[in-house]
Amino acid sequence: MADLLRGVAMAALKGLDTTLELTRHAQALKRQGYDFALRYYSHNASKNLSLGEARALAQAGMRIGVVWETAGTRAGFFTRAQGLADGAAAWLMATQAIGQPFGSAIYFAVDYDPTQADIDGAISNYFTGVHAALYVANEGRPSYRVGVYGSGLCCGALMERGIAACSWLSQSTAFAGSRQYAEQKRYDMIQMLPMRIPGEDGILLDIDPDATHPDRDPGLFVV
């Protein structure tokens, strides 16, 4: 079920994101105080969230978040057609592979420092395509909240225009608007600098620490 707690005061949650498969490490992460893990939907099966992994995280008492990330590292990637394709692919993974509950979020990554012109044009067009794909896939009924991962400038612009329903601020504080976005606590989630932590049997895991805004619902879920 989704964590549909909008408008309810909550404590900030401690989390992490990683490309590593976490099934065997879920209990060890929970013992270290992690409340959630953010994992991937993509065309690269080796980094994608699996149903077994999602269930292991849930059984350990952890929530899950997901981000669609492929090649969004330059303005030329972002078009409405690409948004349609990515939205449709993310929908299939969420519904068919994972059983992600409606009302939770799928974040879409803008993994570079875009200009205002990029945001106004290519990136806005891409997110319009994502929305259209989800609308068609669920026959016009509400399904997943569309989140944005990126810079403060990008997150702020898409949130203000209603193109994104939630924002995950990237760790790159030098990106345009990111320092102010963090200081003003406008994010739903915030990512911090990479680190290594112990997993099961002392295996070191490369992760990025994350935290939620204490008063906002970032669209996490369990299955």
Side-chain angles (χ1 to χ4, degrees):
M1 58 184 295
D3 289 320
L4 303 178
L5 299 176
R6 288 186 279 279
V8 178
M10 299 174 284
L13 301 178
K14 174 184 176 181
L16 61 95
D17 65 90
T18 182
T19 59
L20 301 173
E21 199 268 337
L22 296 174
T23 303
R24 66 177 296 198
H25 305 292
Q27 296 290 343
L29 294 173
K30 185 62 178 178
R31 288 195 296 270
Q32 294 175 67
Y34 287 95
D35 301 301
F36 68 94
L38 290 153
R39 296 284 285 112
Y40 288 86
Y41 292 159
S42 74
H43 297 302
N44 180 357
S46 66
K47 74 174 186 178
N48 286 347
L49 175 70
S50 70
L51 180 57
E53 180 184 6
R55 287 174 173 168
L57 291 165
Q59 289 168 3
M62 295 180 66
R63 305 176 196 183
I64 304 161
V66 289
V67 58
W68 176 269
E69 182 185 66
T70 52
T73 58
R74 56 187 176 82
F77 170 80
F78 293 96
T79 64
R80 188 176 188 277
Q82 189 66 55
L84 284 166
D86 287 355
W91 163 274
L92 284 176
M93 290 200 67
T95 56
Q96 303 302 313
I98 303 300
Q100 179 179 338
F102 290 162
S104 59
I106 302 174
Y107 287 81
F108 291 81
V110 181
D111 206 9
Y112 77 110
D113 190 11
T115 65
Q116 187 67 58
D118 292 346
I119 296 165
D120 292 343
I123 292 170
S124 290
N125 291 338
Y126 174 87
F127 276 83
T128 299
V130 169
H131 278 282
L134 298 183
Y135 180 90
V136 170
N138 206 38
E139 299 178 342
R141 297 184 298 271
S143 59
Y144 299 111
R145 297 164 63 202
V146 174
V148 55
Y149 166 86
S151 71
L153 181 65
C154 184
C155 288
L158 298 190
M159 289 289 288
E160 287 167 6
R161 297 171 190 178
I163 301 174
C166 43
S167 66
W168 175 16
L169 181 64
S170 81
Q171 63 194 213
S172 301
T173 57
F175 282 1
S178 290
R179 189 175 299 277
Q180 299 94 318
Y181 203 80
E183 289 172 351
Q184 295 167 6
K185 296 184 177 179
R186 296 167 60 193
Y187 55 82
D188 293 274
M189 292 192 295
I190 186 169
Q191 182 186 61
M192 290 157 275
L193 294 176
M195 60 187 293
R196 283 189 164 184
I197 61 171
E200 193 66 32
D201 300 324
I203 296 172
L204 291 178
L205 306 177
D206 292 312
I207 64 118
D208 299 314
D210 297 278
T212 63
H213 189 290
D215 299 322
R216 296 181 184 171
D217 171 18
L220 304 175
F221 63 92
V222 296
V223 296

